[in-house]
Amino acid sequence: MSQYTLDLTGKVALVTGGSRGIGKAIALALAEKGAKVALTYSRSADAAEEVKTAIESLGTQAMIIQADAASFEGANETVSAIIAEWGGLDILVNNAGITKDGLILRMTEEHWDQVMETNLKSIFNYCKAVARPMMKGGGGSVINMGSIVGITGNAGQSNYAASKAGLIGFTKSYAKELASRNVRANVIAPGYILTDMTDALDEKVLEGITNATPLGRAGNVEEVAAACVFLASDLSSYITGEVIRVDGGMAI
Ligand code: NDP
């Protein structure tokens, strides 16, 4: 039998923005494979509490922490709290993200800054905070949530696309720096996935997106979580610095 498995029993994972949408699905999928899961949220305390209960009902442990992903101190405090409680950290999923869409002529400086801080600075915050503990612990897996838009660009999303393209360059550099210490880092680039984030889009835009997707439908959060579990596990032990599209073929 292969020594490489999806089993995450005994592993400790942190998912940022795990209270809703893709992050919630990832937190539950990692827990299903046996990991202890800590998740952060910014506002949805009740939803985060529900995810914690759901994780515990899968027979593993959960921790919820309110922490703005854009806060450098918040990232350090979160990682320290997890290590104090569970003794280490093996898997980091930088999932928290926002959109503040607008064509460039209308985009405000505030919307540029908010998106860059939440989507890109957060990646630096958490990747830096886990680097030393993961190296000390003999390795780890970091998964940064990009977007297909970071590869193709999208009118009305120059701030968002820049943040998601930026994290690809960051992840490849980080992967090169930490590979010798067995810390892997990869990006998942989802296409159109049904969540609160895409709920905000109008019907016409959604129809256009579906028509542009070779598989002919939106993706669901579990399909993104499946790729994340793969990247978190030993099944991907020889994969680092990679960008995996989960987009129904949209960017072929
Ligand atoms: P949702 O809006 O459904 O959920 C966002 C999650 O991130 C929530 O748990 C939210 O917490 C959390 N969050 C937002 N801002 C912060 C913050 N400052 N600090 C901590 N947590 C925060 O988004 P999705 O699930 O759709 O998206 C998740 C990720 O996937 C994002 O990075 C997004 O860019 C990416 N993505 C999504 C796609 C899609 O089609 N849905 C496509 C491509 C990429 P709270 O509940 O407390 O607000």
Side-chain angles (χ1 to χ4, degrees):
M1 214 169 74
S2 167
Q3 61 183 301
Y4 305 107
T5 75
L6 272 180
D7 185 26
L8 300 176
T9 306
K11 302 282 187 194
V12 173
L14 164 60
V15 182
T16 68
S19 52
R20 295 182 288 115
I22 292 171
K24 174 182 176 180
I26 289 171
L28 291 170
L30 294 172
E32 218 170 75
K33 296 289 175 237
K36 294 176 192 165
V37 181
L39 56 103
T40 67
Y41 65 97
S42 60
R43 288 172 311 223
S44 309
D46 291 349
E49 196 64 55
E50 280 172 28
V51 180
K52 179 173 186 277
T53 306
I55 290 172
E56 286 166 349
S57 74
L58 292 168
T60 183
Q61 288 171 260
M63 192 188 302
I64 53 175
I65 299 168
Q66 183 180 27
D68 180 354
S71 162
F72 185 73
E73 295 77 27
N76 282 321
E77 285 165 17
T78 299
V79 169
S80 296
I82 294 164
I83 290 170
E85 186 71 17
W86 290 335
L89 184 52
D90 307 289
I91 298 157
L92 165 66
V93 185
N94 272 313
N95 165 79
I98 57 167
T99 51
K100 295 281 174 191
D101 296 351
L103 296 170
I104 194 66
L105 294 179
R106 294 218 185 111
M107 188 175 288
T108 62
E109 184 185 6
E110 190 190 3
H111 283 176
W112 172 271
D113 288 344
Q114 282 174 356
V115 167
M116 294 306 278
E117 299 246 313
T118 307
N119 296 6
L120 184 56
K121 185 175 176 236
S122 61
I123 304 288
F124 165 73
N125 293 342
Y126 281 87
C127 283
K128 185 170 168 67
V130 304
R132 213 179 289 277
M134 279 189 177
M135 282 157 69
K136 271 194 188 162
S141 177
V142 173
I143 297 113
N144 292 329
M145 198 56 65
S147 166
I148 206 62
V149 163
I151 298 168
T152 62
N154 194 26
Q157 290 198 306
S158 58
N159 51 358
Y160 183 76
S163 71
K164 296 300 189 180
L167 72 78
I168 292 176
F170 176 92
T171 306
K172 290 182 177 178
S173 308
Y174 187 84
K176 282 186 170 176
E177 285 189 27
L178 298 189
S180 65
R181 309 300 291 269
N182 198 34
V183 177
R184 300 183 294 110
N186 294 287
V187 172
I188 294 178
Y192 163 36
I193 310 297
L194 294 168
T195 67
D196 295 345
M197 187 180 268
T198 44
D199 250 8
L201 299 174
D202 78 60
E203 289 265 315
K204 267 203 165 159
V205 175
L206 294 184
E207 203 183 301
I209 297 172
T210 309
N211 290 339
T213 305
L215 286 180
R217 63 173 177 86
N220 60 56
V221 292
E222 287 81 12
E223 291 174 308
V224 181
C228 192
V229 170
F230 167 70
L231 288 174
S233 78
D234 285 348
L235 278 189
S236 61
S237 56
Y238 203 51
I239 299 177
T240 195
E242 185 56 276
V243 181
I244 297 191
R245 290 185 292 108
V246 182
D247 69 345
M250 195 191 271
I252 294 172

